[in-house]
Amino acid sequence: MITRREALKSALVGGAAVAGGLTGATNLWAVPKRHDLVAQNIEYQLMQGAPTTKNLFTFGDAMPPTLRVKQGQPFHSRLINKLDEPTTVHWHGMRLPNDMDGVAFLTQHYVYTGDHFDYRFTPHDAGTFWYHPHCNSLEQLSYGMTGLMVVEEAEDPGFDQDIPVNLRDFRLGGDGQFIKLFQARKSARAGTFGTLRTSNWQSAPQMDVTAGSLVRLRLCVTDVTRIYKLSLPEGTAAKVIAMDGNPVTPFAINKLALGPGQRADIALRIPDDEGQTINLTNFSSSAPWTVLSLRAIGPSLKRDLREIKPLPANPIPQPDLKDAEYIPLEFSAAAEKRPANPICGSLGFSFWAVNKRAWQGAERGPLDPVAVLKRDKSYVFEFINRTPQTHPIHIHGMTFQLLKSNKRKLQPWWTDTALVFPDERVQVAVRPDYVGDWLMHCHIIEHQESGMTAFMRVE
Ligand code: C2O
Ligand code: CU
């Protein structure tokens, strides 16, 4: 069945295509390319010699694809659900209309098995973003459904290669099959870690890159638990140029803390001599391990990092601090650690709370907002961590600016996910530009699904 709106649109498109063909003019009515995301089960060899044959969920037929779009151009993605359970897609870090945000119960209905849903929006901000379901999240994310989304700058900054890196673990037994995804006593602490560490679904992959070239490495932590601490060897010609999708004053990467949901774009100059390698190392575990390595091949391009154009700032609404309202948001352990009724994949426990309330289901209730905001008004949120764990606090649909902390000096970065360390208080500023109900939660998914979730209403 074709709706009136669709019929009208295709009529317009047909007409404009003819006109465009005749004049060669830009086709103003161009329909964006549709990016289909087929949610389904696959078999795949994540672990050498032990293919995962059950419960590996993805979009498509391998690792979820990295979607590439241009800043300011309309984007259309169709989620087609071939899983045996409902799902949705959330676009992490995007400022977009609330009904495109993909949170089951809060912003849209479940997309059931055999159904599809069209997501359409225009990305305002260039940078590294990602997508994942917001439904039965611990299982669906742990089982594989985490993909990257690259929004390209209108003007090319001048890299030779662009390498998106999906950083995550899988919780597999020695036979390559998933084991129980969480242990309750760990969920009540830092979370339950995976067993197989991967970059782009491979263990410590070696990537061949042209000698002397300039590479943009887009690191994105899509893991449900792990907070990385990333370093390159001392003396590597490399700088972090963006954090969480937004440009920053470039700085050297040295034990950079990157939590679930966070991204870092690194500009890197590959060595001149063929065969030379650069290892990216994680230092957050007891023994450091190689995340990936880049190996120089071919004759040197002799590029220079200074040839990269600085990334332009994203058009984020600027909060007015003089006029801002202060809103404290306190993250703590739940008062009573009693089992809750599991709804939509919640763990069945409430270990955590936001402003003393534990979210009862994964995606449902208490159905009143933790704060009611006005569109276009300025706010200062204070994230107050009353726990001995670090929490990556994520807010949907708005990009906020780090202001200050009681523990460390903060750079004025724009972000959607901020690490808040034990006993830390972090102030951030924001001016929301879309109305709707916006989820806020810790991005350690076990915390999210055992109470550390709330939502804000923007009117
Ligand atoms: Cu990465 Cu609620 O999202
Ligand atoms: Cu947390």
Side-chain angles (χ1 to χ4, degrees), residues 21-51:
L22 289 175
T23 64
T26 326
N27 186 350
L28 289 178
W29 297 100
V31 177
K33 163 176 183 274
R34 198 177 82 197
H35 300 260
D36 283 354
L37 291 174
V38 180
Q40 60 188 4
N41 267 102
I42 60 165
E43 285 186 18
Y44 196 88
Q45 183 157 311
L46 292 162
M47 195 178 262
Q48 268 319 312

Side-chain angles (χ1 to χ4, degrees), residues 90 92 130 132 134 394 396 439 441 443:
H90 165 62
H92 183 120
W130 66 295
H132 59 80
H134 233 293
H394 172 49
H396 287 210
L439 209 66
H441 58 88
H443 223 291

Side-chain angles (χ1 to χ4, degrees), residues 390-392 442 444 447 452:
T390 300
H391 303 284
C442 175
I444 292 175
H447 295 177
M452 205 177 271

